[in-house]
Amino acid sequence: QRQDGTRIPVDRSHLLLRGCVLRNTDYIVGIVAYAGHETKAMLNNSGPRAKRSKLERDINAEIVSQVIILFALCFFGAVASGIWTGKRIDRDIIYFPFSSESANPALEGFIRFWTFVIILQVIIPVSLYVSLEIVKLAQTFFINWDLEMYYEPQDRPFQCRALNITEDLGQIKYIFSDKTGTLTENEMIFKCCTIVGKNYPHSLEVELSSVVDPQKGLNTETEEPDYPNP
């Protein structure tokens, strides 16, 4: 509402979406609408997608397979330990931590399962992730120090901002490009037009059979090009 009492309606032409930038103005008067974490835009925004390189995805798959192998070996060892204990439950063996009266094959198998997990957990290369991150960090320094990617006119070296996808360099298989003219520079060049069934070309390859008469204007008698009539 203005000072004179008139009201200014607010419609969709006065709407500024998120990310808009205002310039060449001293101040603005606005109303904040559809803001907060419970709006539809924020609820649908799940955040940026995590970028993982092909090497990291392969390593994760290998780690999962090794965990499955580890638990399979531990389960097999626990079952075998329970069976072995059950067959010797009536004997007093000196290295048994229990007597024959208190022996329980199921409990022994359960305990041996976690014992085998502690013993065989070395097959999972947990330190591989740490070593890989150190190698990635060193690789980013080498990329930033590369003189062939230094832009001298603006004194701007290369800046590697993605630490988790540097190993994908050199593994590119496909390059996709749009058709907006970024590479092809789409230029519309007039070739010819047809008026009442007669072709009027505009090409350097077509030789005109007559010249322009300054008194009569442009002579439209031209050599018939090889353009098909529409």
Side-chain angles (χ1 to χ4, degrees):
Q1 184 176 358
R2 296 178 179 176
Q3 296 180 357
D4 56 358
T6 58
R7 296 178 178 271
I8 302 175
V10 178
D11 54 10
R12 62 181 182 180
S13 62
H14 301 91
L15 178 64
L16 291 179
L17 299 177
R18 183 179 60 179
C20 295
V21 179
L22 293 177
R23 292 188 177 94
N24 301 327
T25 181
D26 296 333
Y27 68 94
I28 61 170
V29 178
I31 302 174
V32 179
Y34 299 104
H37 293 281
E38 296 182 357
T39 58
K40 186 176 181 181
M42 291 297 294
L43 292 177
N44 291 333
N45 186 10
S46 59
R49 182 176 59 89
K51 295 181 180 180
R52 290 185 175 89
S53 62
K54 184 177 182 299
L55 178 61
E56 189 174 357
R57 292 194 299 267
D58 294 341
I59 292 178
N60 292 338
E62 293 294 334
I63 294 296
V64 172
S65 63
Q66 291 174 3
V67 170
I68 295 174
I69 294 174
L70 172 64
F71 279 99
L73 293 175
C74 296
F75 179 78
F76 175 78
V79 172
S81 178
I83 295 174
W84 187 87
T85 303
K87 289 182 179 181
R88 292 162 177 79
I89 197 172
D90 53 345
R91 304 179 185 178
D92 289 331
I93 302 176
I94 190 173
Y95 52 83
F96 270 7
F98 48 80
S99 61
S100 59
E101 291 82 9
S102 62
N104 187 349
L107 180 60
E108 180 68 16
F110 178 77
I111 295 175
R112 296 307 173 192
F113 176 82
W114 298 109
T115 303
F116 285 124
V117 169
I118 297 174
I119 295 174
L120 301 177
Q121 53 87 23
V122 293
I123 69 174
I124 301 178
V126 180
S127 61
L128 179 62
Y129 284 98
V130 180
S131 302
L132 188 61
E133 293 299 325
I134 295 175
V135 171
K136 288 180 181 180
L137 182 62
Q139 188 178 13
T140 56
F141 283 107
F142 283 112
I143 293 175
N144 294 334
W145 295 339
D146 193 352
L147 294 179
E148 295 184 359
M149 291 187 288
Y150 171 73
Y151 189 62
E152 188 176 358
Q154 295 185 359
D155 192 18
R156 180 183 299 175
F158 186 84
Q159 295 181 358
C160 183
R161 296 186 176 93
L163 185 62
N164 53 350
I165 57 174
T166 54
E167 61 267 22
D168 279 347
L169 296 175
Q171 301 181 18
I172 301 174
K173 294 183 178 179
Y174 307 100
I175 298 177
F176 296 95
S177 176
D178 57 4
K179 300 175 67 177
T180 58
T182 305
L183 300 177
T184 57
E185 296 183 359
N186 298 333
E187 296 180 358
M188 300 181 65
I189 301 176
F190 178 77
K191 293 294 185 181
C192 69
C193 67
T194 301
I195 302 176
V196 195
K198 188 174 183 61
N199 293 330
Y200 296 91
H202 185 74
S203 177
L204 298 177
E205 299 177 357
V206 180
E207 296 180 358
L208 299 177
S209 59
S210 60
V211 296
V212 177
D213 190 347
Q215 296 181 355
K216 297 181 180 180
L218 179 64
N219 190 350
T220 59
E221 294 294 330
T222 60
E223 179 180 318
E224 290 293 331
D226 295 330
Y227 296 109
N229 291 329

